[in-house]
Every structure is written in structure tokens, then in C-alpha cells.
């Protein structure tokens, strides 16, 4: 039998962890409990974080959106500031699992599971998200791309939790998107995905462009040197084609039950083109351009 | 451990292991076998219940998480002998064949109608996208939810 303890605040959390040093923290449980049942994970004591209220809130402060680690995907969908300022993240939250999974699964769990296929990760990479980590001695802030070390591996220390995700609100006029290819639309782990963050000048030249691909390497992959080559150039399908091809040459996909590595590379090359369609639909560009 | 919670509006005090799954407590300890277990890993929706009014998967919830919560299962949806409009519509529209997915479908639909009393067919499809049915082909289920929503709107 496993012990399951749900502390009400951080003081109780650290006390519990001191008593059970090997305890495993649990967010929504949609990943951990499946892993435990399949004996892929071990835990003698589970510390559920769901009752720690400070972890369950979204707030705005000094131009940043602060998202508590225990905020569920559904809460993200229901938060107007997320919909307004972070449409890419909002779009990713909308395609996680199923409604019930979105009611249980949390942004903190999605991050700490560190799956290359985690849906909220590519948008968070493009947003330059920073993570507040909490431990009994205090706290520290780590950029997301330094926090995730590999599949299932993070920079979390023993007895440390992710408490908040900090996202600087993008400049007005910034567009952000998330595109996902799965075997079906619901309850699908992505075969490949891409988040984009784009700021265009009135003449449609690229002021800033950031792209992050999911499920095509050990972590989410972003290529700042490629992004730089886009700056100042006119946004066009040709430009996206060029970007897709260059990215496809750089990603490191594997073949697994969901898709072949070659197929994933093709997706990486093609996903940027969805941006063309999205912008045409928004009337920013014409469809035949 | 001792756990107190509300099950279908009745206060329950149970003595159980903290890591026991909620689906097992409901089915095996409390005899409420309406809630089904399909995959046991959050992929099929058969075990959907409402916890504090929100749809959740009872195969991915542990006993300790029940403390103080209000749990609604398919058994608690009808008022006495009067079936809930969703239950009636499922019967009338032929949305039930083998019936295994039905409790989960209805609880997921109940969650939807709470949030959105006037869903279109696309909204219904999205809301039920986590519930698998291997018999009906889904169309009659969507018909049933659409019809129940209309009934409930007309009553309100």
C-alpha cells in the first residue's frame, strides 16, 4: 500500500517531505498514476499538491502572466488573459487529452513530465517561459529550456517543486500558434507539433519569429540561429518553406509506435506552412500568396 | 484511513487504503457498478464521474483525493424514479447499444450541459471526444445530447 498525503500549504508540504524523504510529488496524476499502475514508476509515498492553493492561481504582475503549477489545462482555457495574450498556449491546452484529462492534468505536471510530446511545452519555449522552483531553503528561477534535460528528466532537485510559470506578455500585435499532428484529434499524443510566435511589421517583414517543434527530439527543439535568418525578410510561404526544410535537417526524431522518423521530418518541414493558412484566414495575407 | 465525502448527495464515511482507486471504491466497496472501468489509464472515459461538478476519471483518482468532495455518479443523476433528461434522451434516440460506455458518456455530457446549455454538434463532439463507444458510431449519442440540451433549455 502506498501512502497518499495532500498537504494544505507549503509548510505542511516540507514537513511531510521531511518525514517521507523518498516521497514522489503528484500534480494531476494523469501521467504518474498510469506509470505506477504499469510498474514503470515507483513510489511508496505520494504527495498530492492539489490542496496547496497558491499553486492553483493565475495572476498578472508587472507585464507578466504568472501561472501556478497546479493550474489545470481547463483553467488555462477559461482564463481570459491566457486567451488574449497567449493564444498559442491556449491552443495547446485545448488539444491536451480529453475534457476530463484537461480537468485533471496541470501545466506543472505537463512541464515536469518533460515528455518531448508535452503539448504546452512548444508554446512555452517560444514564449521564453521561466520557472519558479520552490524548496525548503527558498526559491530559484530557471528558464524552461534549461530546466528540461531530456525525456522525463528535469533540473528539479530532491525535495523541490515547480511552483509557478512566468511568462512575459508578448508585445501588442504578436501572434502565436500551436499546430499538432496526432493519430486522431482527441486523446492523441503528438507525432509532431510546432508552436510559432510571430511579430510582423505593417509591410509584412518579420520583426521577430520564434518556432519550437515537439516530439521530434529528446526535448522540444528551437533553433535561434534559424530564427535570426528570418528577421527583416518579407513573410511568405517561400520563407516558411525554407525554414521548414532547414529545421527538418536539424531535428532528431525517432521511429516509434506513433510514427516513423522520416515521417516526422516531413511533418517538421510542412508544419510551418500551416502558418500561411492561419494568417490567410486572419486576413493578414492573401490565400494565393 | 477514514475518508468523509458526499456521494450522490449522501454523506459517506469510509475506511479504506489511501491509494485505492476511486473507481474500485465505487464499484467494489460501495456496490455502485454504473461507473465502468475500460482502459484504466484515462483513454476511454468509461469511468467518468463528476467531482465537485467537474468531469474526472475515477480510474486516475485515489481515495485520499475524495476527502470533502462532492461526487456524482450515474446512479445519482436521476431524481427518484424520474430519469434525467440525458438518460431519457439516450433511451429515446437509440444512443445505447451494449451500454458499457453509456454512464461515462452521460456524465461527460452532463459536464458539458452545465458549462454550455446550448451546444452545437461540434461542441458535443469535442465534449465527448474522451469517451469511446464501439457500438453506435456516435451519431445517435450526439443526437441524444442535442435533444437533452433542448429539453433542459425548454424546462429552464
Amino acid at each position: 500500500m502506498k501512502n497518499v498525503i495532500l498537504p494544505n500549504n507549503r509548510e505542511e508540504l516540507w514537513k511531510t517531505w521531511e518525514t517521507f524523504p523518498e516521497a514522489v510529488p503528484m500534480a494531476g496524476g494523469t501521467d504518474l498514476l498510469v506509470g505506477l499502475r504499469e510498474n514503470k514508476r515507483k513510489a511508496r509515498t505520494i504527495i498530492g499538491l492539489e490542496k496547496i492553493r497558491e499553486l492553483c492561481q493565475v495572476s498578472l504582475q508587472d507585464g507578466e502572466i504568472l501561472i501556478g503549477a497546479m493550474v489545470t489545462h481547463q483553467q488555462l482555457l477559461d482564463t481570459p488573459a491566457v486567451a488574449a495574450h497567449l493564444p498559442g498556449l491556449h491552443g495547446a491546452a485545448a488539444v491536451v487529452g480529453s475534457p476530463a484529462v484537461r480537468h485533471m492534468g496541470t501545466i506543472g505536471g505537463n512541464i515536469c513530465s518533460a515528455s518531448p510530446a508535452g503539448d504546452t511545452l512548444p508554446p512555452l519555449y517560444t514564449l521564453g517561459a521561466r520557472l519558479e522552483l520552490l524548496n525548503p531553503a527558498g526559491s530559484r528561477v530557471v528558464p524552461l529550456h534549461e530546466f528540461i534535460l531530456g525525456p522525463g528528466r528535469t533540473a528539479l532537485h530532491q525535495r523541490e517543486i515547480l511552483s509557478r510559470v512566468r511568462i512575459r506578455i508578448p508585445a501588442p500585435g504578436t501572434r502565436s500558434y500551436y499546430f499538432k499532428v496526432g493519430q486522431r484529434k482527441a486523446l492523441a499524443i503528438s507525432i509532431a507539433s510546432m508552436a510559432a510566435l510571430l511579430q510582423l511589421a505593417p509591410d509584412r517583414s518579420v520583426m521577430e519569429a520564434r518556432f519550437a517543434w515537439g516530439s521530434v527530439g529528446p526535448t522540444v527543439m528551437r533553433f535561434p540561429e534559424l530564427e535570426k535568418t528570418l528577421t527583416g525578410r518579407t513573410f511568405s510561404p517561400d520563407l516558411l518553406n525554407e525554414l521548414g526544410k532547414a529545421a527538418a535537417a536539424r531535428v532528431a526524431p525517432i521511429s516509434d509506435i506513433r510514427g516513423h522518423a522520416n515521417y516526422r521530418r516531413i511533418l517538421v518541414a510542412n508544419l510551418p506552412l500551416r502558418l500561411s493558412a492561419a494568417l490567410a484566414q486572419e486576413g493578414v495575407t492573401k490565400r494565393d500568396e | 484511513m477514514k475518508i468523509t465525502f458526499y456521494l450522490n448527495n449522501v454523506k459517506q464515511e469510509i475506511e479504506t487504503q489511501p491509494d485505492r482507486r476511486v473507481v474500485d471504491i465505487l464499484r467494489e466497496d460501495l456496490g455502485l457498478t454504473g461507473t465502468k472501468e475500460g482502459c484504466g489509464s484515462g483513454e476511454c472515459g468509461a469511468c467518468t464521474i463528476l467531482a465537485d461538478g467537474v468531469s474526472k476519471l475515477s480510474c486516475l483518482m485515489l481515495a485520499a483525493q475524495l476527502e470533502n468532495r462532492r461526487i456524482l455518479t450515474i446512479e445519482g443523476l436521476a431524481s427518484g424514479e424520474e430519469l434525467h433528461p440525458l438518460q431519457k434522451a439516450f433511451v429515446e434516440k437509440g444512443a445505447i447499444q451494449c451500454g458499457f460506455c453509456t454512464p461515462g458518456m452521460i456524465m461527460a455530457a452532463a459536464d458539458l450541459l452545465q458549462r454550455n446549455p446550448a451546444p452545437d454538434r461540434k461542441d458535443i463532439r469535442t465534449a465527448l471526444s474522451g469517451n469511446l463507444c464501439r457500438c453506435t458510431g456516435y451519431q445517435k449519442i450526439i443526437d441524444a445530447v442535442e435533444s437533452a440540451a433542448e429539453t433542459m433549455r425548454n424546462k429552464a
Side-chain angles (χ1 to χ4, degrees), chain A residues 16-226:
Chain A
T16 308
W17 228 333
E18 207 176 319
T19 316
F20 304 98
E22 301 303 315
V24 174
M26 177 172 88
T30 55
D31 198 49
L32 176 67
L33 294 180
V34 176
L36 289 173
R37 199 162 164 83
E38 292 173 353
N39 283 320
K40 286 180 186 156
R41 302 277 302 267
K42 294 263 175 285
R44 280 168 61 194
T45 301
I46 294 172
I47 302 182
L49 304 175
E50 65 190 51
K51 295 205 167 150
I52 305 178
R53 203 161 295 164
E54 62 174 309
L55 303 180
C56 304
Q57 289 154 355
V58 182
S59 56
L60 273 86
Q61 205 179 77
D62 304 327
E64 281 192 316
I65 296 184
L66 309 172
I67 305 172
M70 289 298 288
V71 167
T72 64
H73 298 102
Q74 184 64 46
Q75 258 177 290
L76 288 178
L77 294 177
D78 294 341
T79 304
V82 173
H85 300 299
L86 314 172
L89 180 63
H90 195 265
V95 294
V96 171
S98 64
V101 169
R102 294 195 282 275
H103 296 159
M104 303 173 80
T106 64
I107 188 169
N110 206 234
I111 293 170
C112 293
S113 293
S115 161
D119 282 311
T120 65
L121 297 178
L124 290 172
Y125 271 70
T126 60
L127 288 162
R130 293 179 306 145
L131 308 179
E132 281 181 24
L133 310 182
L134 209 59
N135 55 59
S139 65
R140 58 188 181 122
V141 177
V142 180
L144 173 64
H145 68 274
E146 289 174 21
F147 177 78
I148 294 183
L149 307 175
R153 284 176 44 232
T154 69
L156 273 181
H157 293 153
Q158 277 288 326
R159 286 194 231 178
E160 188 169 58
I161 61 161
L162 166 61
S163 59
R164 280 201 300 198
V165 183
R166 300 168 72 133
I167 301 167
R168 182 143 297 285
I169 294 175
T174 306
R175 298 160 187 282
S176 64
Y177 305 86
Y178 181 65
F179 306 112
K180 167 176 175 173
V181 179
Q183 287 182 320
R184 65 186 194 101
K185 282 186 185 161
L187 281 171
I189 295 172
S190 74
I191 300 170
S193 65
M194 188 193 82
L197 189 131
L198 192 66
Q199 206 186 343
L200 296 180
D203 68 353
R204 278 194 267 149
S205 64
V206 175
M207 294 165 74
E208 175 142 41
R210 299 185 206 161
F211 295 86
W213 283 266
S215 298
V216 289
T219 63
V220 165
M221 303 191 87
R222 208 183 136 191
F223 308 106
E225 77 281 5
L226 276 185

Side-chain angles (χ1 to χ4, degrees), chain B residues 34-110:
Chain B
T35 303
K36 306 296 187 226
E37 177 175 5
C39 65
S41 57
E43 307 260 5
C44 78
C47 68
T48 305
I49 58 171
L50 301 189
D52 294 333
V54 177
S55 68
K56 300 215 167 160
L57 301 166
S58 61
C59 75
L60 296 179
M61 278 180 77
L62 303 177
Q65 295 176 281
L66 280 177
E67 183 67 37
N68 269 327
R69 285 195 189 275
R70 307 192 77 88
I71 301 295
L72 191 72
T73 69
I74 189 71
E75 288 90 348
L77 207 58
S79 7
E81 294 295 304
E82 176 75 12
L83 287 181
H84 186 277
L86 274 166
Q87 293 172 306
K88 269 191 206 160
F90 267 62
V91 173
E92 283 162 10
K93 296 288 174 185
I96 306 169
Q97 285 186 30
C98 90
F100 191 87
C101 74
T102 308
M105 284 284 179
I106 290 183
M107 297 317 281

